[in-house]
Amino acid sequence: MNINRRIEVLAPAGSYEGMIAAMNAGCDAVYIGGNSFGARAYANNLDQDALMAAIDEAHIRGKKLYLTVNTLVKEQERSYLYSFLDKLYLHGLDAVIVQDVGAMHFIHRHFPNLEIHASTQTTIAMAQGADLLKDVGVTRLVTPRELSLKEIKNIRENTDLEIETFVHGALCYCYSGQCLMSSMIGGRSGNRGRCAQPCRMPYQFFNGDKQVAGEQYLLSPKDICTVAMIPEMIEAGIDSFKIEGRMKRPEYAAAVTHVYRKYVDLYNALGKEGFKNYINEAHSDYKQDMQELQDIYNRGGFSEGYLNTYNGKKMMSLNRPNHSGVYIGDVISVKNNQVTIALKESVQGQDVLEIRKKEEVKFEFTVKDNKEIGGHIQVYVGPRAYHKAKGNHKRVSNAPAVGDMVFRTKNTQLLERIADDYILNNQKYDIFGTLRAKAGEKLSLTIDYDKWSVTVYHEVVQEAMKQPMTRDKLVAQIKKTGNTIFEFINVEVEMDDNIFVPVAWLNELRRDGIQRLMDQVAGSYRRTENISYQEQAYSINKNEEDMGISVAVQTREQLKLALKYREIKAIYGDYEIFSDRNEGNIDLIDEVKSRGKSFYMILPHICRLSAYETLKEDIFSLKEQKIDGYLVKNFEEIALLKEIYGEQFNDKDIILNYNMYIYNKEAKEFWRKKGISHFTAPVELNSRELKKLQIYDCDMIIYGYQPVMVSAQCLMASTNGCHPCKNGERRNTYLSDRLNKKFFVQTHCKMCYNIIYNGQRLNLLDQLEEINEMAPKSLRLDFTLETVEEMKMVLDTFLASGGGRMGPLIIDNITTGHFKRGIE
């Protein structure tokens, strides 16, 4: 691997202005959203004309533009996806970032020369999973933020796909693509670009009757900053350094891009040892850059994310979910409502400061005059003083006191400098000119830029009647490129001595030349092949057989209860029941088969390098057992099962869980080509959308606690130390929000992840008549946190109805999920 290869700095562009700022600051590429299909629906996304202009702007500057198409695409939206992309594809769009495998399949079929980058929303954590996407045009994997350097290096060693990794900005608490919390709470789905960020809200945490943590921002990670780890990230094989932040202002994109460009170039110039020495020896320069990054935005400080740390309290911003600012001093005196602050950093007029005790904001004010480090600021905080809180101006209720800390939340001088450097003024690109001014010939100008060259002509040059034009005047006029992005480094002049050239001609020639140059550069990226929308009819046969009833269980006791019901045709047993290879538990598989039922093993939500070999060994040890199939929840497990079973893979019934997101028939077709044709109906689609999807080949979940987050973080570890959840306390560990809604927390220590469940159980038992009309392959009841007694009550009530209209289920806190309302 060439460690001196060009590393792409990939910047966020939440607007056209943000794109320009990032390009001026030195990025190699930007990722940006259009007015549809993007995971940031509330950014200042571009319409199609603006996107085409942005593509040209990027290419003229020698940059690339990647379009976010990273939401899940509903069946009825397929034709619109084509009309959204066709003109952009022909115009020269460089790549699309995609989550939905159906969208990948559709895009590759219609736009075969368009590169596809697999979004971090796919939750692909290993090369084995990523390589499943190669045949639909995927050329790059955007890794989950949770991966370590070791895991990224393992991906690099096992695939030739490009690797893109988030290096700076916000972290989600949940694995990207696995979060339904915003969706289930308020109908704003992160899978559709409308996340309401419930992870930035306060929660209380309970273990039994004991409150483990008071109201804190327990799900709010710090932002990451990995500048110091640039050598290690490059040597791990990362090709593209991705900066998060399409919802932030242009100054943010510019400031962060500038720093990463600077230090990537520094590494390329000095190597790893020289880079580390520079950071240590030029500490004031590095410290200044890091402080400016904190000034522009940080959340409780920075962490280096998961690159060297699996999880932990140090990664969390438990006391404040938004911009924390920079510590600049302390309150040293309070007399007669007059507060004196001793400065440990310089401040400038119009900076905004907050006086805090821990994270409680006591007073906010704007600095009037510049003050140097070591100086003092006095501010009056009397009864007329107000500070801004939650959008309203409220009177200070808790007065500042000696010892309170002071933070700057707005660095006005920094913002003005960034605007001046990267927003108000364009980076200049070198061009070379040759001006030919010969009497009797047309005036001409040739402009060379990189590999492009244009020549433009004007009127015939005349001999001078009076004062001839000098070489210096010709050059000076041609070099006046004004507010364009170009700058003449050199202008060669071929001229006669006694000529006259009007200044207006030179201006027109220069403008025409630069415009034609931009047209030539942009035009060189156009695609000219014939494309058209290809309507593809995917026929799915309706089930002739009666729907089966399947039950998913997490414990041995639940499995043994399910065995007692002859109406249950299939039992899905959680992998963790069998992972210790206890013969008594393994014998349960034989017992399931002896009762005439099918047995499926439920595989873990997440499969990473640390667990892959263990999972492989466990499944291989059970290979000879009578397992009918597997319920899989990630790409890696599919690759693993293909490796273990080889040619026998197609003999197993592989069921994709709902978190593999089959929102459209293109997705089904993608998986059929991989030998998989049994799915789980999406839990975010409403009944009308499910009918349109034709769920004859799907399990339909009609009951159960639903996971809303799957996280590499551990609430127990970050609040009270590592504490595995025991069977006897399965609903004793929970979060409580401001409305006292519960979210149950379950630890999975063997694979080291947490699942947070919606405290309201899904209950579609009253909707069975409508569901029966959809004719799903199977009705599925998921049992996770329930006691055996509760499980028995649910099964007795459901089975007594014969699968039709039934009496009420006597349980509290139920929901019909999205069956009626759906998501936008």
Side-chain angles (χ1 to χ4, degrees):
M1 181 178 62
N2 177 18
I3 62 173
N4 291 318
R5 70 197 189 281
R6 175 76 175 185
I7 300 301
E8 179 181 84
V9 175
L10 176 57
S15 64
Y16 201 98
E17 184 183 35
M19 179 192 76
I20 297 297
M23 290 180 178
N24 285 332
C27 73
D28 299 291
V30 296
Y31 62 105
I32 196 167
N35 52 20
S36 299
F37 301 112
R40 292 291 182 270
Y42 303 113
N44 293 321
N45 297 312
L46 278 56
D47 61 24
Q48 194 165 66
D49 289 341
L51 276 174
M52 289 195 288
I55 292 168
D56 286 347
E57 185 79 47
H59 290 159
I60 291 166
R61 292 170 177 259
K63 317 290 186 183
K64 292 184 177 181
L65 185 144
Y66 307 143
L67 182 66
T68 57
V69 189
N70 53 345
T71 58
L72 299 177
V73 179
K74 296 179 181 180
E75 174 63 17
Q76 62 269 27
E77 295 171 340
R78 279 194 293 162
S79 61
Y80 180 55
L81 179 59
Y82 177 85
S83 62
F84 176 66
L85 288 176
D86 59 350
K87 291 183 176 63
L88 301 175
Y89 173 73
L90 294 175
H91 205 70
L93 177 64
D94 293 291
V96 285
I97 304 170
V98 185
Q99 172 188 9
D100 189 326
V101 294
M104 293 178 191
H105 188 266
F106 179 90
I107 291 168
H108 188 58
R109 185 158 57 84
H110 287 90
F111 312 109
N113 294 316
L114 183 58
E115 291 188 6
I116 297 175
H117 299 172
S119 168
T120 188
Q121 294 279 116
T122 59
T123 329
I124 294 176
M126 296 183 68
Q128 289 84 343
D131 283 347
L132 293 174
L133 301 177
K134 280 186 174 181
D135 56 3
V136 287
V138 169
T139 60
R140 176 182 291 192
L141 172 66
V142 187
T143 59
R145 292 170 171 87
E146 291 79 4
L147 296 194
S148 68
L149 284 171
K150 179 181 178 181
E151 289 171 295
I152 293 169
K153 187 175 182 180
N154 182 264
I155 294 173
R156 173 73 294 139
E157 292 170 349
N158 289 283
T159 185
D160 57 359
L161 292 174
E162 294 177 345
I163 296 174
E164 176 181 309
T165 297
F166 283 94
V167 298
H168 194 96
L171 284 180
C172 297
Y173 190 80
C174 180
Y175 281 94
S176 293
Q178 302 302 308
C179 185
L180 297 178
M181 197 162 188
S182 175
S183 172
M184 292 301 177
I185 291 174
R188 287 175 53 177
S189 173
N191 286 318
R192 299 281 289 176
R194 291 170 170 81
C195 179
Q197 293 196 310
C199 55
R200 305 301 179 188
M201 302 303 290
Y203 297 90
Q204 299 177 72
F205 185 41
F206 294 86
N207 185 22
D209 295 329
K210 180 183 177 183
Q211 183 173 338
V212 179
E215 189 168 81
Q216 292 179 295
Y217 298 95
L218 298 170
L219 306 181
S220 180
K222 295 177 181 177
D223 284 12
I224 59 170
C225 175
T226 62
V227 174
M229 299 188 68
I230 283 174
E232 290 82 2
M233 293 190 297
I234 293 175
E235 292 169 10
I238 297 172
D239 299 292
S240 179
F241 285 5
K242 187 170 194 172
I243 299 164
E244 182 276 338
R246 281 199 292 136
M247 294 296 290
K248 295 187 176 75
R249 58 196 297 171
E251 288 88 347
Y252 173 90
V256 180
T257 297
H258 164 72
V259 171
Y260 280 86
R261 173 83 281 148
K262 172 181 174 178
Y263 285 93
V264 167
D265 291 347
L266 189 70
Y267 168 80
N268 285 332
L270 302 179
K272 182 176 183 178
E273 185 177 350
F275 180 94
K276 296 294 185 181
N277 288 339
Y278 178 89
I279 287 179
N280 294 327
E281 294 171 6
H283 186 67
S284 60
D285 182 40
Y286 176 70
K287 180 182 177 183
Q288 179 66 26
D289 289 334
M290 295 306 100
Q291 180 167 306
E292 289 187 359
L293 286 179
Q294 292 218 27
D295 257 316
I296 206 72
Y297 198 91
N298 79 88
R299 211 185 305 260
F302 290 127
S303 80
E304 291 181 340
Y306 294 90
L307 293 177
N308 282 324
T309 305
Y310 193 91
N311 57 29
K313 189 173 184 178
K314 290 182 178 179
M315 296 175 64
M316 304 303 296
S317 179
L318 298 174
N319 297 312
R320 188 180 175 103
N322 51 12
H323 181 38
S324 296
V326 172
Y327 167 64
I328 59 94
D330 300 287
V331 174
I332 60 171
S333 172
V334 179
K335 293 182 180 179
N336 299 323
N337 295 325
Q338 192 85 11
V339 172
T340 302
I341 298 165
L343 294 176
K344 296 187 177 179
E345 299 287 345
S346 298
V347 296
Q348 289 77 41
Q350 300 307 305
D351 282 358
V352 176
L353 307 185
E354 286 182 357
I355 300 174
R356 301 181 200 158
K357 182 176 182 180
K358 294 185 178 179
E359 293 301 322
E360 177 193 2
V361 179
K362 292 186 173 182
F363 190 68
E364 178 186 271
F365 66 100
T366 301
V367 177
K368 293 182 179 179
D369 303 307
N370 297 352
K371 293 287 183 179
E372 294 300 318
I373 185 171
H376 295 83
I377 294 176
Q378 290 189 327
V379 59
Y380 179 66
V381 293
R384 290 181 175 271
Y386 291 79
H387 77 274
K388 198 172 185 180
K390 297 182 180 178
N392 300 309
H393 286 83
K394 295 185 177 181
R395 185 179 299 224
V396 175
S397 59
N398 192 358
V402 173
D404 287 348
M405 301 174 75
V406 184
F407 291 80
R408 176 173 56 216
T409 57
K410 181 181 179 183
N411 186 330
T412 301
Q413 186 181 70
L414 174 63
L415 293 173
E416 289 175 349
R417 174 163 59 80
I418 293 168
D420 188 56
D421 288 346
Y422 305 120
I423 298 175
L424 302 177
N425 294 291
N426 272 313
Q427 177 189 356
K428 295 291 186 177
Y429 295 85
D430 297 346
I431 55 176
F432 300 85
T434 301
L435 181 69
R436 184 175 175 85
K438 296 277 190 175
E441 295 181 11
K442 286 187 174 182
L443 180 68
S444 69
L445 174 65
T446 298
I447 303 176
D448 294 302
Y449 170 54
D450 197 13
K451 62 183 179 181
W452 292 279
S453 181
V454 296
T455 301
V456 291
Y457 299 89
H458 210 282
E459 301 295 330
V460 174
V461 176
Q462 304 296 319
E463 291 187 359
M465 300 293 292
K466 296 181 180 178
Q467 186 176 5
M469 178 68 77
T470 66
R471 183 181 302 271
D472 288 346
K473 286 184 178 179
L474 288 172
V475 171
Q477 203 62 37
I478 288 295
K479 280 191 169 184
K480 292 182 178 180
T481 54
N483 61 357
T484 72
I485 65 170
F486 296 109
E487 181 177 47
F488 279 104
I489 297 303
N490 185 53
V491 178
E492 297 286 341
V493 179
E494 301 170 6
M495 62 179 294
D496 290 337
D497 292 334
N498 189 34
I499 58 169
F500 173 71
V501 179
V503 170
W505 287 15
L506 295 171
N507 292 338
E508 291 167 4
L509 194 69
R510 182 191 64 246
R511 286 193 294 265
D512 187 26
I514 288 176
Q515 185 59 54
R516 290 197 189 184
L517 176 66
M518 292 192 296
D519 291 344
Q520 185 184 88
V521 175
S524 69
Y525 289 85
R526 302 285 190 266
R527 296 183 177 96
T528 56
E529 67 255 42
N530 293 322
I531 59 172
S532 61
Y533 177 62
Q534 304 162 31
E535 181 63 51
Q536 192 85 18
Y538 297 114
S539 59
I540 304 170
N541 296 324
K542 195 169 184 178
N543 297 313
E544 298 298 331
E545 300 178 1
D546 292 339
M547 285 180 294
I549 297 173
S550 57
V551 169
V553 297
Q554 273 197 1
T555 70
R556 173 187 173 89
E557 292 72 26
Q558 290 172 344
L559 194 156
K560 292 182 74 173
L561 176 64
L563 285 172
K564 297 178 180 179
Y565 292 86
R566 59 179 177 77
E567 298 92 340
I568 295 173
K569 294 185 177 180
I571 295 177
Y572 302 175
D574 194 276
Y575 156 79
E576 292 189 6
I577 300 174
F578 310 96
S579 63
D580 60 2
R581 305 184 197 177
N582 180 292
E583 289 188 9
N585 288 344
I586 294 173
D587 288 345
L588 287 173
I589 299 174
D590 291 332
E591 192 171 349
V592 171
K593 300 300 294 182
S594 70
R595 302 287 182 97
K597 305 179 190 299
S598 299
F599 178 79
Y600 294 80
M601 183 171 288
I602 305 171
L603 297 184
H605 269 270
I606 302 297
C607 183
R608 290 169 55 177
L609 180 62
S610 58
Y612 188 84
E613 287 302 321
T614 300
L615 186 61
K616 181 178 177 180
E617 290 174 8
D618 287 342
I619 294 176
F620 194 84
S621 72
L622 297 169
K623 186 178 178 181
E624 302 306 317
Q625 299 297 318
K626 298 175 182 178
I627 298 174
D628 294 281
Y630 294 87
L631 180 68
V632 300
K633 300 178 180 179
N634 53 69
F635 288 79
E636 286 73 26
E637 289 166 354
I638 295 168
L640 178 58
L641 291 171
K642 282 179 175 284
E643 180 184 351
I644 290 173
Y645 284 99
E647 293 180 358
Q648 296 176 334
F649 175 82
N650 291 332
D651 297 334
K652 296 296 178 182
D653 186 10
I654 307 300
I655 308 172
L656 296 189
N657 197 41
Y658 66 85
N659 68 312
M660 295 293 280
Y661 301 124
I662 307 301
Y663 272 50
N664 51 71
K665 293 175 183 175
E666 292 273 352
K668 294 183 179 184
E669 185 64 17
F670 168 87
W671 286 113
R672 282 197 187 95
K673 292 177 181 178
K674 305 289 183 188
I676 297 172
S677 56
H678 190 170
F679 313 105
T680 306
V683 298
E684 289 188 298
L685 297 186
N686 62 34
S687 58
R688 297 181 302 280
E689 292 162 341
L690 291 171
K691 289 173 185 175
K692 196 170 188 67
L693 182 61
Q694 294 182 313
I695 60 171
Y696 313 140
D697 47 7
C698 296
D699 288 357
M700 178 77 183
I701 301 173
I702 58 172
Y703 167 85
Y705 286 105
Q706 292 186 294
V708 292
M709 281 191 179
V710 180
S711 179
Q713 290 292 337
C714 178
L715 277 158
M716 275 295 182
S718 63
T719 57
N720 197 37
C722 187
H723 177 75
C725 178
K726 299 174 184 174
N727 289 344
E729 53 183 42
R730 297 174 69 81
R731 279 181 303 188
N732 284 353
T733 309
Y734 62 91
L735 293 167
S736 178
D737 69 10
R738 294 173 301 169
L739 300 176
N740 294 318
K741 287 186 177 180
K742 289 184 179 181
F743 299 89
F744 298 112
V745 180
Q746 190 178 57
T747 59
H748 290 260
C749 296
K750 183 162 187 174
M751 296 296 176
C752 201
Y753 61 83
N754 277 194
I755 298 179
I756 299 176
Y757 290 90
N758 188 1
Q760 292 183 300
R761 284 180 252 197
L762 176 72
N763 177 19
L764 296 181
L765 301 181
D766 288 339
Q767 321 297 325
L768 286 179
E769 287 186 8
E770 187 174 1
I771 292 171
N772 286 339
E773 292 175 5
M774 299 178 192
K777 188 179 184 75
S778 174
L779 300 178
R780 183 171 123 201
L781 292 85
D782 283 3
F783 294 100
T784 50
L785 309 176
E786 291 86 351
T787 63
V788 170
E789 291 75 21
E790 284 178 308
M791 178 178 171
K792 183 177 186 304
M793 181 267 292
V794 172
L795 287 173
D796 286 346
T797 305
F798 169 59
L799 296 174
S801 72
R805 184 173 293 278
M806 55 182 286
L809 191 61
I810 313 299
I811 53 176
D812 295 328
N813 244 352
I814 60 173
T815 176
T816 57
H818 288 296
F819 189 76
K820 292 299 182 183
R821 64 180 180 176
I823 54 175
E824 289 185 59

